[in-house]
Amino acid sequence: MNYVEKYKRILNNFLFGADKNLPLENRMLIAAILIGFVVSLFGVFINFILGYPWPVIIIPLILSIILVYVFYRERFKKKSMNLALPVFLIAFLGLGLVWIFNGGYNSANTYVMITVFVFAIATSPNKRFLFLFIFFISLILFLHFFHFLFPQKIVDFPDEKTRFIDITITIFYSVAFIYLMITFLIKNYRHERQISEERGRKLEELNKELRLLNASKDKLFSIIAHDLKSPFTSILGFSELSLEQLQQKDLERAEKSIEHGISSVNRTLNLLENLLAWAKSQNGQIDFTPVQLDIEPFIKDAVKSLEPSANLKKIKLEYTPSAKITVKADKNMLQTILRNLVSNAIKFTGLGGEVRIISTSEGNHVKITITDTGVGMDEETLKSLFTLESNKSTHGTAMEMGSGLGLVLCKEFVEVHGGEIVAESKPGKGSRFSFTLPG
Protein backbone atom coordinates (compact mmCIF):
# COMPACT_ATOMS: atom_id res chain seq x y z
CA MET A 1 0.00 0.00 0.00
CA ASN A 2 1.48 3.37 -1.04
CA TYR A 3 1.54 6.44 1.22
CA VAL A 4 -1.39 8.12 -0.56
CA GLU A 5 -3.65 5.13 0.05
CA LYS A 6 -2.39 4.80 3.61
CA TYR A 7 -3.14 8.41 4.58
CA LYS A 8 -6.41 8.29 2.64
CA ARG A 9 -7.49 5.32 4.74
CA ILE A 10 -6.41 7.04 7.98
CA LEU A 11 -8.37 10.18 7.03
CA ASN A 12 -11.41 8.13 6.02
CA ASN A 13 -11.33 6.22 9.33
CA PHE A 14 -11.09 9.47 11.27
CA LEU A 15 -13.94 11.14 9.43
CA PHE A 16 -16.31 8.17 9.06
CA GLY A 17 -14.97 5.61 11.52
CA ALA A 18 -13.67 2.12 10.81
CA ASP A 19 -17.17 0.61 10.72
CA LYS A 20 -17.68 -0.31 7.07
CA ASN A 21 -21.26 -1.35 7.78
CA LEU A 22 -22.30 2.14 8.95
CA PRO A 23 -25.75 2.83 7.41
CA LEU A 24 -25.74 4.90 4.21
CA GLU A 25 -27.92 7.64 5.79
CA ASN A 26 -25.33 8.16 8.54
CA ARG A 27 -22.43 8.29 6.09
CA MET A 28 -24.31 10.78 3.90
CA LEU A 29 -25.12 12.93 6.91
CA ILE A 30 -21.47 13.00 7.99
CA ALA A 31 -20.41 13.89 4.44
CA ALA A 32 -23.04 16.66 4.26
CA ILE A 33 -21.87 18.01 7.63
CA LEU A 34 -18.22 18.07 6.54
CA ILE A 35 -18.94 19.64 3.16
CA GLY A 36 -21.35 22.10 4.78
CA PHE A 37 -18.68 23.05 7.32
CA VAL A 38 -16.11 23.76 4.57
CA VAL A 39 -18.66 25.74 2.49
CA SER A 40 -19.74 27.78 5.54
CA LEU A 41 -16.15 28.71 6.41
CA PHE A 42 -15.50 29.58 2.80
CA GLY A 43 -18.62 31.76 2.84
CA VAL A 44 -17.41 33.55 5.99
CA PHE A 45 -14.08 34.31 4.30
CA ILE A 46 -15.63 35.52 1.00
CA ASN A 47 -18.29 37.62 2.71
CA PHE A 48 -15.64 39.23 4.91
CA ILE A 49 -13.41 40.01 1.88
CA LEU A 50 -16.36 41.50 -0.03
CA GLY A 51 -17.30 43.66 2.97
CA TYR A 52 -20.84 42.33 3.45
CA PRO A 53 -22.95 43.32 6.50
CA TRP A 54 -21.97 41.55 9.73
CA PRO A 55 -25.03 39.19 9.85
CA VAL A 56 -23.88 37.69 6.53
CA ILE A 57 -20.51 36.92 8.16
CA ILE A 58 -21.67 35.87 11.64
CA ILE A 59 -24.49 33.50 10.54
CA PRO A 60 -22.25 31.15 8.44
CA LEU A 61 -19.70 31.22 11.27
CA ILE A 62 -22.31 30.14 13.84
CA LEU A 63 -23.52 27.45 11.44
CA SER A 64 -19.92 26.16 11.11
CA ILE A 65 -19.63 25.83 14.89
CA ILE A 66 -22.96 23.96 15.06
CA LEU A 67 -21.81 21.58 12.31
CA VAL A 68 -18.57 20.84 14.21
CA TYR A 69 -20.64 19.93 17.28
CA VAL A 70 -22.99 17.73 15.23
CA PHE A 71 -20.02 16.00 13.61
CA TYR A 72 -18.59 15.24 17.05
CA ARG A 73 -21.93 13.82 18.20
CA GLU A 74 -22.27 11.60 15.13
CA ARG A 75 -18.67 10.46 14.76
CA PHE A 76 -17.81 9.83 18.41
CA LYS A 77 -21.17 9.62 20.22
CA LYS A 78 -23.30 8.07 17.43
CA LYS A 79 -26.19 10.41 18.30
CA SER A 80 -26.30 13.03 15.56
CA MET A 81 -29.38 11.59 13.81
CA ASN A 82 -31.46 13.08 16.63
CA LEU A 83 -29.99 16.52 15.84
CA ALA A 84 -30.33 16.27 12.06
CA LEU A 85 -33.75 17.91 11.85
CA PRO A 86 -32.95 20.84 14.23
CA VAL A 87 -29.68 21.47 12.34
CA PHE A 88 -31.44 21.61 8.96
CA LEU A 89 -34.10 23.95 10.37
CA ILE A 90 -31.41 26.24 11.86
CA ALA A 91 -29.57 26.14 8.52
CA PHE A 92 -32.73 27.16 6.63
CA LEU A 93 -33.47 30.01 9.05
CA GLY A 94 -29.84 31.15 8.94
CA LEU A 95 -29.83 31.11 5.16
CA GLY A 96 -33.12 33.03 5.27
CA LEU A 97 -31.43 35.83 7.27
CA VAL A 98 -28.47 35.79 4.89
CA TRP A 99 -30.99 36.00 2.05
CA ILE A 100 -32.40 39.25 3.52
CA PHE A 101 -28.95 40.80 4.13
CA ASN A 102 -27.49 39.62 0.84
CA GLY A 103 -29.63 40.83 -2.05
CA GLY A 104 -32.82 38.77 -1.63
CA TYR A 105 -34.03 37.15 -4.84
CA ASN A 106 -31.52 39.27 -6.79
CA SER A 107 -28.75 36.97 -5.51
CA ALA A 108 -27.99 33.23 -5.77
CA ASN A 109 -29.07 32.48 -2.19
CA THR A 110 -32.12 30.56 -3.38
CA TYR A 111 -29.79 28.03 -5.11
CA VAL A 112 -27.99 27.43 -1.83
CA MET A 113 -31.27 26.86 0.01
CA ILE A 114 -32.48 24.41 -2.66
CA THR A 115 -29.17 22.52 -2.39
CA VAL A 116 -29.52 22.24 1.41
CA PHE A 117 -33.14 21.13 1.01
CA VAL A 118 -32.18 18.32 -1.40
CA PHE A 119 -29.66 16.89 1.04
CA ALA A 120 -31.99 17.39 3.99
CA ILE A 121 -34.41 15.09 2.15
CA ALA A 122 -31.61 12.66 1.17
CA THR A 123 -30.41 12.19 4.77
CA SER A 124 -33.74 12.23 6.62
CA PRO A 125 -36.21 9.44 7.39
CA ASN A 126 -39.25 9.17 5.10
CA LYS A 127 -41.60 10.35 7.83
CA ARG A 128 -39.90 13.80 7.80
CA PHE A 129 -40.15 14.39 4.03
CA LEU A 130 -43.54 16.08 4.08
CA PHE A 131 -42.65 18.33 7.04
CA LEU A 132 -39.36 19.44 5.41
CA PHE A 133 -41.11 20.07 2.11
CA ILE A 134 -43.85 22.23 3.68
CA PHE A 135 -41.32 24.11 5.83
CA PHE A 136 -39.00 24.81 2.88
CA ILE A 137 -41.78 25.93 0.51
CA SER A 138 -43.30 28.14 3.20
CA LEU A 139 -39.92 29.76 3.96
CA ILE A 140 -39.13 30.40 0.27
CA LEU A 141 -42.59 31.88 -0.37
CA PHE A 142 -42.34 34.05 2.75
CA LEU A 143 -38.92 35.41 1.72
CA HIS A 144 -40.04 36.17 -1.82
CA PHE A 145 -43.25 37.90 -0.69
CA PHE A 146 -41.25 39.79 1.94
CA HIS A 147 -38.85 41.07 -0.73
CA PHE A 148 -41.74 41.95 -3.03
CA LEU A 149 -43.75 43.77 -0.37
CA PHE A 150 -40.85 45.36 1.54
CA PRO A 151 -37.97 45.83 -0.92
CA GLN A 152 -36.54 48.61 1.26
CA LYS A 153 -35.89 46.02 4.01
CA ILE A 154 -33.58 43.98 1.75
CA VAL A 155 -29.87 44.86 1.88
CA ASP A 156 -28.86 44.94 -1.77
CA PHE A 157 -25.42 44.71 -3.33
CA PRO A 158 -23.44 47.95 -3.47
CA ASP A 159 -22.73 47.49 -7.18
CA GLU A 160 -23.10 45.06 -10.09
CA LYS A 161 -19.51 43.84 -9.78
CA THR A 162 -20.12 42.64 -6.24
CA ARG A 163 -23.37 41.00 -7.33
CA PHE A 164 -21.57 39.20 -10.18
CA ILE A 165 -18.80 37.93 -7.87
CA ASP A 166 -21.28 36.78 -5.22
CA ILE A 167 -23.55 34.94 -7.67
CA THR A 168 -20.60 33.32 -9.48
CA ILE A 169 -18.99 32.10 -6.26
CA THR A 170 -22.31 30.90 -4.81
CA ILE A 171 -23.16 28.92 -7.93
CA PHE A 172 -19.65 27.44 -7.97
CA TYR A 173 -19.69 26.07 -4.43
CA SER A 174 -23.36 24.98 -4.75
CA VAL A 175 -22.48 22.91 -7.81
CA ALA A 176 -19.32 21.66 -6.08
CA PHE A 177 -21.39 20.65 -3.05
CA ILE A 178 -23.88 18.77 -5.24
CA TYR A 179 -21.07 17.10 -7.21
CA LEU A 180 -19.27 15.91 -4.07
CA MET A 181 -22.46 14.61 -2.50
CA ILE A 182 -23.60 12.76 -5.64
CA THR A 183 -20.12 11.23 -6.05
CA PHE A 184 -20.18 10.19 -2.41
CA LEU A 185 -23.69 8.78 -2.80
CA ILE A 186 -22.78 6.71 -5.89
CA LYS A 187 -19.65 5.33 -4.22
CA ASN A 188 -21.52 4.36 -1.08
CA TYR A 189 -24.44 2.95 -3.05
CA ARG A 190 -21.99 0.58 -4.74
CA HIS A 191 -20.56 -0.25 -1.32
CA GLU A 192 -24.07 -1.01 0.00
CA ARG A 193 -24.82 -3.14 -3.05
CA GLN A 194 -21.59 -5.08 -2.54
CA ILE A 195 -22.49 -5.70 1.12
CA SER A 196 -26.01 -6.73 0.09
CA GLU A 197 -24.68 -9.17 -2.52
CA GLU A 198 -22.23 -10.61 0.00
CA ARG A 199 -25.02 -11.06 2.53
CA GLY A 200 -27.14 -12.64 -0.20
CA ARG A 201 -24.37 -15.13 -0.99
CA LYS A 202 -23.95 -15.99 2.70
CA LEU A 203 -27.71 -16.39 3.07
CA GLU A 204 -27.82 -18.67 0.03
CA GLU A 205 -24.98 -20.77 1.51
CA LEU A 206 -26.85 -21.00 4.80
CA ASN A 207 -30.04 -21.98 2.96
CA LYS A 208 -28.13 -24.64 1.05
CA GLU A 209 -26.68 -26.03 4.29
CA LEU A 210 -30.15 -25.97 5.83
CA ARG A 211 -31.60 -27.85 2.86
CA LEU A 212 -28.86 -30.46 3.15
CA LEU A 213 -29.45 -30.79 6.90
CA ASN A 214 -33.17 -31.23 6.31
CA ALA A 215 -32.48 -33.78 3.59
CA SER A 216 -30.12 -35.61 5.96
CA LYS A 217 -32.73 -35.58 8.70
CA ASP A 218 -35.46 -36.84 6.34
CA LYS A 219 -33.15 -39.53 4.99
CA LEU A 220 -32.28 -40.68 8.50
CA PHE A 221 -35.96 -40.93 9.47
CA SER A 222 -36.68 -42.79 6.23
CA ILE A 223 -33.92 -45.31 6.91
CA ILE A 224 -35.04 -45.89 10.49
CA ALA A 225 -38.75 -46.06 9.64
CA HIS A 226 -38.57 -48.19 6.48
CA ASP A 227 -35.18 -49.24 5.11
CA LEU A 228 -34.09 -50.87 8.37
CA LYS A 229 -37.49 -52.32 9.22
CA SER A 230 -37.98 -54.01 5.84
CA PRO A 231 -34.73 -56.09 5.83
CA PHE A 232 -35.32 -57.31 9.38
CA THR A 233 -38.85 -58.35 8.42
CA SER A 234 -37.37 -60.23 5.46
CA ILE A 235 -34.74 -61.92 7.64
CA LEU A 236 -37.39 -62.99 10.13
CA GLY A 237 -39.55 -64.37 7.31
CA PHE A 238 -36.68 -66.41 5.78
CA SER A 239 -35.72 -67.72 9.23
CA GLU A 240 -39.27 -68.90 9.97
CA LEU A 241 -39.54 -70.42 6.48
CA SER A 242 -36.20 -72.23 6.87
CA LEU A 243 -37.24 -73.64 10.25
CA GLU A 244 -40.51 -74.90 8.79
CA GLN A 245 -38.72 -76.50 5.83
CA LEU A 246 -36.15 -78.16 8.12
CA GLN A 247 -38.95 -79.58 10.23
CA GLN A 248 -40.45 -80.99 7.02
CA LYS A 249 -36.96 -82.32 6.11
CA ASP A 250 -37.09 -80.36 2.84
CA LEU A 251 -33.32 -79.65 2.92
CA GLU A 252 -33.04 -78.30 -0.64
CA ARG A 253 -35.68 -75.62 -0.13
CA ALA A 254 -34.35 -74.88 3.35
CA GLU A 255 -30.89 -74.30 1.89
CA LYS A 256 -32.34 -71.83 -0.64
CA SER A 257 -34.19 -69.98 2.10
CA ILE A 258 -31.04 -69.79 4.22
CA GLU A 259 -29.12 -68.39 1.21
CA HIS A 260 -31.78 -65.70 0.78
CA GLY A 261 -31.59 -64.97 4.48
CA ILE A 262 -27.78 -64.62 4.36
CA SER A 263 -28.08 -62.27 1.38
CA SER A 264 -30.61 -60.18 3.27
CA VAL A 265 -28.33 -60.10 6.33
CA ASN A 266 -25.42 -58.91 4.18
CA ARG A 267 -27.53 -56.13 2.70
CA THR A 268 -28.71 -55.09 6.15
CA LEU A 269 -25.14 -55.14 7.47
CA ASN A 270 -24.05 -53.03 4.52
CA LEU A 271 -26.87 -50.58 5.25
CA LEU A 272 -25.90 -50.32 8.93
CA GLU A 273 -22.24 -49.78 8.05
CA ASN A 274 -23.22 -47.06 5.56
CA LEU A 275 -25.46 -45.42 8.12
CA LEU A 276 -22.70 -45.44 10.74
CA ALA A 277 -20.11 -44.06 8.29
CA TRP A 278 -22.50 -41.38 7.07
CA ALA A 279 -23.38 -40.30 10.63
CA LYS A 280 -19.67 -40.04 11.48
CA SER A 281 -18.94 -38.01 8.34
CA GLN A 282 -21.79 -35.61 9.13
CA ASN A 283 -20.41 -35.02 12.63
CA GLY A 284 -16.81 -34.72 11.45
CA GLN A 285 -15.84 -37.76 13.52
CA ILE A 286 -14.68 -40.05 10.74
CA ASP A 287 -10.96 -40.89 10.66
CA PHE A 288 -8.93 -40.40 7.49
CA THR A 289 -5.59 -42.19 7.59
CA PRO A 290 -4.26 -42.83 4.07
CA VAL A 291 -1.48 -45.41 3.71
CA GLN A 292 0.05 -47.25 0.78
CA LEU A 293 -2.08 -50.35 0.07
CA ASP A 294 -2.20 -53.15 -2.44
CA ILE A 295 -5.59 -52.76 -4.15
CA GLU A 296 -6.11 -56.42 -5.13
CA PRO A 297 -6.91 -57.90 -1.66
CA PHE A 298 -9.56 -55.22 -1.08
CA ILE A 299 -11.30 -55.93 -4.39
CA LYS A 300 -11.19 -59.69 -3.77
CA ASP A 301 -12.61 -59.19 -0.29
CA ALA A 302 -15.50 -57.13 -1.67
CA VAL A 303 -16.17 -59.80 -4.33
CA LYS A 304 -16.09 -62.63 -1.77
CA SER A 305 -18.45 -60.89 0.68
CA LEU A 306 -20.98 -60.16 -2.08
CA GLU A 307 -20.82 -63.52 -3.90
CA PRO A 308 -23.89 -64.91 -2.09
CA SER A 309 -26.01 -62.02 -3.38
CA ALA A 310 -24.61 -62.49 -6.90
CA ASN A 311 -25.16 -66.26 -6.83
CA LEU A 312 -28.82 -65.85 -5.94
CA LYS A 313 -29.32 -63.94 -9.20
CA LYS A 314 -26.84 -66.16 -11.12
CA ILE A 315 -24.73 -63.07 -11.81
CA LYS A 316 -21.17 -63.61 -12.99
CA LEU A 317 -19.04 -61.52 -10.63
CA GLU A 318 -15.63 -61.16 -12.23
CA TYR A 319 -12.46 -59.37 -11.20
CA THR A 320 -9.65 -59.09 -13.72
CA PRO A 321 -6.40 -58.63 -11.78
CA SER A 322 -3.55 -56.77 -13.42
CA ALA A 323 0.02 -56.14 -12.37
CA LYS A 324 0.41 -55.27 -8.70
CA ILE A 325 -1.19 -51.88 -8.15
CA THR A 326 -0.91 -49.85 -4.97
CA VAL A 327 -2.99 -46.89 -3.86
CA LYS A 328 -2.59 -44.37 -1.08
CA ALA A 329 -5.93 -44.67 0.65
CA ASP A 330 -7.71 -45.04 3.93
CA LYS A 331 -8.41 -48.74 4.50
CA ASN A 332 -11.94 -48.37 5.87
CA MET A 333 -12.99 -45.82 3.26
CA LEU A 334 -11.64 -47.99 0.43
CA GLN A 335 -13.62 -50.98 1.71
CA THR A 336 -16.78 -48.88 1.90
CA ILE A 337 -16.32 -47.52 -1.65
CA LEU A 338 -15.73 -50.95 -3.21
CA ARG A 339 -18.47 -52.70 -1.24
CA ASN A 340 -21.07 -50.08 -2.15
CA LEU A 341 -20.23 -49.88 -5.86
CA VAL A 342 -20.13 -53.66 -6.34
CA SER A 343 -23.30 -54.12 -4.26
CA ASN A 344 -25.04 -51.42 -6.31
CA ALA A 345 -24.03 -53.15 -9.58
CA ILE A 346 -25.42 -56.49 -8.35
CA LYS A 347 -28.62 -54.84 -7.15
CA PHE A 348 -29.48 -53.43 -10.60
CA THR A 349 -28.28 -56.37 -12.69
CA GLY A 350 -30.85 -58.93 -13.73
CA LEU A 351 -30.80 -62.73 -13.63
CA GLY A 352 -27.78 -64.19 -15.44
CA GLY A 353 -26.05 -60.82 -15.90
CA GLU A 354 -22.42 -59.84 -15.41
CA VAL A 355 -20.50 -57.49 -13.14
CA ARG A 356 -16.86 -56.82 -13.99
CA ILE A 357 -14.22 -55.05 -11.91
CA ILE A 358 -11.02 -53.73 -13.47
CA SER A 359 -8.15 -51.78 -11.89
CA THR A 360 -5.58 -49.89 -13.97
CA SER A 361 -2.69 -47.57 -13.23
CA GLU A 362 -2.86 -44.15 -14.93
CA GLY A 363 0.16 -42.01 -14.15
CA ASN A 364 -0.04 -40.83 -10.56
CA HIS A 365 -3.53 -42.26 -10.11
CA VAL A 366 -5.20 -45.64 -10.00
CA LYS A 367 -8.54 -46.11 -11.77
CA ILE A 368 -11.04 -48.73 -10.62
CA THR A 369 -14.00 -49.44 -12.91
CA ILE A 370 -17.12 -51.48 -12.07
CA THR A 371 -19.22 -52.35 -15.12
CA ASP A 372 -22.57 -54.14 -15.11
CA THR A 373 -25.10 -55.35 -17.65
CA GLY A 374 -28.03 -54.09 -15.60
CA VAL A 375 -31.03 -51.90 -16.26
CA GLY A 376 -29.05 -48.65 -16.66
CA MET A 377 -30.18 -45.09 -15.90
CA ASP A 378 -31.50 -42.05 -17.72
CA GLU A 379 -29.83 -38.61 -17.75
CA GLU A 380 -32.04 -37.19 -15.00
CA THR A 381 -31.13 -40.03 -12.62
CA LEU A 382 -27.43 -39.64 -13.43
CA LYS A 383 -27.50 -35.94 -12.54
CA SER A 384 -28.89 -36.56 -9.04
CA LEU A 385 -27.03 -39.79 -8.38
CA PHE A 386 -24.51 -38.52 -5.83
CA THR A 387 -26.66 -35.96 -3.96
CA LEU A 388 -28.50 -36.89 -0.80
CA GLU A 389 -30.98 -34.02 -1.24
CA SER A 390 -32.52 -35.47 -4.38
CA ASN A 391 -31.24 -39.06 -4.20
CA LYS A 392 -34.07 -41.58 -4.00
CA SER A 393 -33.48 -45.26 -3.48
CA THR A 394 -35.15 -47.58 -6.01
CA HIS A 395 -35.82 -51.29 -5.95
CA GLY A 396 -33.28 -53.62 -7.53
CA THR A 397 -34.10 -56.20 -10.19
CA ALA A 398 -35.01 -58.69 -7.43
CA MET A 399 -36.86 -56.03 -5.43
CA GLU A 400 -33.81 -55.42 -3.20
CA MET A 401 -34.14 -52.39 -0.98
CA GLY A 402 -31.51 -49.70 -0.32
CA SER A 403 -31.11 -46.39 1.48
CA GLY A 404 -29.52 -44.26 -1.23
CA LEU A 405 -26.62 -43.50 1.11
CA GLY A 406 -24.08 -45.77 -0.56
CA LEU A 407 -23.29 -43.67 -3.63
CA VAL A 408 -23.33 -40.45 -1.60
CA LEU A 409 -20.70 -41.95 0.71
CA CYS A 410 -18.65 -43.18 -2.25
CA LYS A 411 -18.46 -39.69 -3.74
CA GLU A 412 -17.60 -38.10 -0.40
CA PHE A 413 -14.87 -40.65 0.40
CA VAL A 414 -13.35 -40.55 -3.10
CA GLU A 415 -13.16 -36.74 -2.98
CA VAL A 416 -11.56 -36.84 0.47
CA HIS A 417 -8.72 -38.74 -1.22
CA GLY A 418 -8.48 -36.10 -3.94
CA GLY A 419 -9.98 -38.45 -6.52
CA GLU A 420 -12.99 -38.32 -8.80
CA ILE A 421 -15.97 -40.61 -9.33
CA VAL A 422 -17.86 -40.78 -12.63
CA ALA A 423 -21.00 -42.67 -13.64
CA GLU A 424 -21.90 -43.54 -17.23
CA SER A 425 -25.12 -45.25 -18.16
CA LYS A 426 -27.95 -45.63 -20.64
CA PRO A 427 -31.34 -47.21 -20.00
CA GLY A 428 -31.27 -50.93 -20.80
CA LYS A 429 -27.53 -50.98 -21.50
CA GLY A 430 -26.01 -51.22 -18.05
CA SER A 431 -23.81 -48.83 -16.12
CA ARG A 432 -20.14 -48.07 -15.62
CA PHE A 433 -18.81 -46.51 -12.40
CA SER A 434 -15.19 -45.37 -12.36
CA PHE A 435 -13.26 -43.72 -9.56
CA THR A 436 -9.66 -42.66 -9.14
CA LEU A 437 -7.36 -42.70 -6.11
CA PRO A 438 -3.78 -41.46 -5.74
CA GLY A 439 -1.19 -44.12 -6.58
Side-chain angles (χ1 to χ4, degrees), residues 178-205:
I178 293 171
Y179 169 78
L180 290 172
M181 285 304 298
I182 290 176
T183 303
F184 182 84
L185 181 61
I186 291 172
K187 179 181 177 182
N188 281 272
Y189 167 75
R190 289 172 180 167
H191 174 73
E192 289 282 317
R193 187 174 63 182
Q194 184 179 355
I195 291 175
S196 178
E197 289 174 353
E198 186 177 341
R199 287 174 180 168
R201 284 193 296 269
K202 288 181 180 179
L203 184 61
E204 180 59 32
E205 289 173 5

Side-chain angles (χ1 to χ4, degrees), residues 89-263:
L89 295 180
I90 291 170
F92 284 136
L93 293 174
L95 289 170
L97 289 174
V98 171
W99 196 89
I100 292 172
F101 287 96
N102 196 34
Y105 51 57
N106 293 322
S107 67
N109 291 312
T110 304
Y111 303 148
V112 179
M113 296 181 73
I114 291 173
T115 303
V116 174
F117 170 72
V118 169
F119 288 99
I121 291 293
T123 57
S124 297
N126 294 350
K127 60 184 180 181
R128 293 179 181 173
F129 285 5
L130 182 60
F131 172 78
L132 286 170
F133 175 77
I134 294 173
F135 181 86
F136 176 74
I137 292 297
S138 300
L139 180 61
I140 289 293
L141 290 175
F142 170 79
L143 292 172
H144 278 70
F145 275 109
F146 182 83
H147 189 161
F148 180 75
L149 297 173
F150 308 101
Q152 69 278 7
K153 301 290 185 180
I154 303 298
V155 179
D156 206 351
F157 296 99
D159 51 56
E160 285 302 314
K161 180 180 178 181
T162 305
R163 185 196 307 275
F164 171 77
I165 294 172
D166 181 85
I167 292 175
T168 302
I169 292 174
T170 303
I171 291 175
F172 170 76
Y173 66 64
S174 294
V175 172
F177 182 80
I178 293 171
Y179 169 78
L180 290 172
M181 285 304 298
I182 290 176
T183 303
F184 182 84
L185 181 61
I186 291 172
K187 179 181 177 182
N188 281 272
Y189 167 75
R190 289 172 180 167
H191 174 73
E192 289 282 317
R193 187 174 63 182
Q194 184 179 355
I195 291 175
S196 178
E197 289 174 353
E198 186 177 341
R199 287 174 180 168
R201 284 193 296 269
K202 288 181 180 179
L203 184 61
E204 180 59 32
E205 289 173 5
L206 289 173
N207 285 335
K208 185 178 180 180
E209 289 178 12
L210 184 61
R211 286 195 298 270
L212 289 174
L213 286 173
N214 284 332
S216 300
K217 178 197 68 175
D218 294 341
K219 178 62 69 175
L220 179 61
F221 288 155
S222 172
I223 292 167
I224 294 171
H226 185 270
D227 294 340
L228 274 178
K229 179 183 176 182
S230 181
F232 280 114
T233 303
S234 177
I235 292 167
L236 182 61
F238 283 126
S239 300
E240 290 174 346
L241 183 62
S242 300
L243 179 61
E244 182 181 335
Q245 290 164 344
L246 285 172
Q247 289 172 345
Q248 296 173 356
K249 300 187 183 302
D250 190 348
L251 299 182
E252 185 177 348
R253 290 179 63 193
E255 183 180 355
K256 289 289 184 182
S257 297
I258 291 171
E259 285 179 355
H260 282 287
I262 292 172
S263 178

